[in-house]
Structure formats: C-alpha cells, structure tokens
Amino acid sequence: SSVLTQPPSVAVAPGQTARITCDGNNIGSQSVHWYQQKPGQAPVLVVYDDSDRPSGIPERFSGSNSRNTATLAISRVEAGDEADYYCQVYDSSSDHAVFGGGTKLTVL
Amino acid sequence: QEKLVQSGAEVRKPGTSVKISCQASGYTFTTYYIHWVRQGPGQGLEWMGWIDPSSGDTNLAQNFQGRVTMTRATSVDTAYMELNTLASDDSAVYYCARGRRNWGQVYYDFWGRGTLVTVS
C-alpha cells in the first residue's frame, strides 16, 4: 500500500506562498486530495483530484501532482490559514484510503 | 444542508467496547459510502474502513480487522462503528466522513464533528 511522506512543519510569512509537499512512490499516477484541519475541528477538504477546489475554497489554494511529489500551494497566506494539512490517496486495488502524516503550517 | 451528526463523547474501561453513531441528513444516505477515520491525541489521521449504506458491505483496514464492526440502519440514515477490546491507545477522536467516488478514487467532501473516546 502507499506510504505518503509530508514535512512535519512549514513556516511562511503573511502574504507569501506556502508550499506543502506529499511524497509517494509514483504518486503522480494517483489522484491526491488535501484537507485542512484547525485545532479542535474536523478536517475540511480544500483540494481534490490533484487540483480541483470545492465550492467555497478560495482560489489561493491550488494543487499539483507529478511523478513522486504532490504539492499544495497556498498563495497570499493569511493568519487564518494556520492549520494542519493532510494529503490523501485512495488505493483502488485494496479499496483503502491512505493519509500522509500531516504538515503544520505556521504563519510567522 | 448536507451533514453528518455524530454521537457524543464516551469513556470506557480497557477491555470493553464502544459503539459510535453517525447520522446523515440533507442527502440520500444510501448513495455514498461512509468512511471512519480516527485521530489520536496530537496524532495524524488514520483510516479505519468504510461501509456501503446501500448493501451493508464493509472493508476494514488491516489494523482493525477482527476488532471493528461497521453497520448501518437505513431507516434512520445512520451508520455505526463498534470497536471492541479497547486499550488505552484507542483513546482518540473518531470521525465519520462521506466518501465521494470519482473514477475509482475516493475523497471526503464533508465530515462529522468527531466523537471523543477516552479509554481509562
């Protein structure tokens, strides 16, 4: 089954672009989904199918996926973006989901 | 408005069981699978398994096979997850989430608010 590796933490100044990576063997051949989780709250889907945004998610959130790395980019970072972010794929052969370990985004 | 409403916090002793409910509203319950995900204190998300509300079929992560039972009651649009033989490391927040399937890939478009289970 897939193993997804995320950096434990990323720090960025307000107004800059944050990039959170999700490494996996040949992850570019799968669809990657991203969730934002603020303390004490349930996860919220922010990007699905590599680069699509659910309604209500700002255009500042974007995703890409190629070869062995998927990336969530958050442009013009705001204090309210501070949260944990998780990547997720679905192994269709086993019908199991896999989550990355999560990345804590700190806005300096 | 589509939502999943979970049952309240539970406290259990080691070796006992807990059963959590997840009631769907705002959409046709049998159309989408319900997945269960847990999160230990300060930990990441751990996928547990899914149930197809239409058929009752389930698929569990290997870590939980033999210890977790997922069921549903379509009359009340509710999915249940029962975890047996609880240990202290089962203390966690348990989430249900609606699975959206797209060409064999699944993502979670919304989640319940979580149920805290404390084993002590």
Side-chain angles (χ1 to χ4, degrees), chain A residues 30-31 33 35 37 40-45 48-49 86 88-92 94-101, chain B residues 33 35 37 39 43-47 50 59-62 65 95 101-102 104-109 111-113:
Chain A
Q30 300 178 278
S31 292
H33 321 292
Y35 303 88
Q37 186 181 34
Q41 299 184 19
V44 172
L45 180 69
Y48 67 98
D49 288 349
Y86 294 90
Q88 176 247 319
V89 299
Y90 201 78
D91 184 338
S92 55
S94 63
D95 233 348
H96 288 191
V98 179
F99 288 95
Chain B
Y33 289 17
H35 292 239
V37 177
Q39 185 171 38
Q43 303 297 309
L45 303 173
E46 180 181 18
W47 182 79
W50 56 251
N59 189 353
L60 303 178
Q62 190 168 5
Q65 290 176 9
Y95 294 101
R101 186 175 289 269
N102 187 17
Q105 297 296 306
V106 174
Y107 59 90
Y108 306 111
D109 59 351
W111 301 57
R113 295 181 70 174

Side-chain angles (χ1 to χ4, degrees), chain B residues 31-70:
Chain B
T31 300
Y32 302 99
Y33 289 17
I34 294 291
H35 292 239
W36 290 89
V37 177
R38 78 175 183 181
Q39 185 171 38
Q43 303 297 309
L45 303 173
E46 180 181 18
W47 182 79
M48 300 179 68
W50 56 251
I51 182 167
D52 176 357
S54 178
S55 66
D57 290 344
T58 62
N59 189 353
L60 303 178
Q62 190 168 5
N63 285 352
F64 297 101
Q65 290 176 9
R67 212 159 66 90
V68 165
T69 303
M70 295 182 183

Side-chain angles (χ1 to χ4, degrees), chain A residues 9-18 76-83 104-108:
Chain A
S9 62
V10 167
V12 64
Q16 300 302 303
T17 297
R76 300 184 301 281
V77 165
E78 304 170 356
D81 297 330
E82 195 163 275
K104 180 176 180 58
L105 175 65
T106 299
V107 180
L108 301 171

Side-chain angles (χ1 to χ4, degrees), chain B:
Chain B
Q1 181 187 3
E2 301 161 321
K3 60 181 179 179
L4 298 171
V5 178
Q6 297 186 224
S7 49
E10 303 273 11
V11 178
R12 292 286 186 274
K13 293 194 178 302
T16 63
S17 301
V18 68
K19 188 172 185 178
I20 300 167
S21 66
C22 170
Q23 185 173 36
S25 62
Y27 73 98
T28 301
F29 177 57
T30 52
T31 300
Y32 302 99
Y33 289 17
I34 294 291
H35 292 239
W36 290 89
V37 177
R38 78 175 183 181
Q39 185 171 38
Q43 303 297 309
L45 303 173
E46 180 181 18
W47 182 79
M48 300 179 68
W50 56 251
I51 182 167
D52 176 357
S54 178
S55 66
D57 290 344
T58 62
N59 189 353
L60 303 178
Q62 190 168 5
N63 285 352
F64 297 101
Q65 290 176 9
R67 212 159 66 90
V68 165
T69 303
M70 295 182 183
T71 56
R72 92 294 190 209
T74 56
S75 61
V76 289
D77 293 342
T78 300
Y80 303 91
M81 190 283 297
E82 184 171 23
L83 180 59
N84 301 314
T85 320
L86 291 166
S88 58
D89 60 1
D90 290 317
S91 295
V93 176
Y94 290 78
Y95 294 101
C96 60
R98 188 175 81 167
R100 291 295 299 268
R101 186 175 289 269
N102 187 17
W103 294 101
Q105 297 296 306
V106 174
Y107 59 90
Y108 306 111
D109 59 351
F110 62 92
W111 301 57
R113 295 181 70 174
T115 297
L116 175 64
V117 174
T118 302
V119 182
S120 176

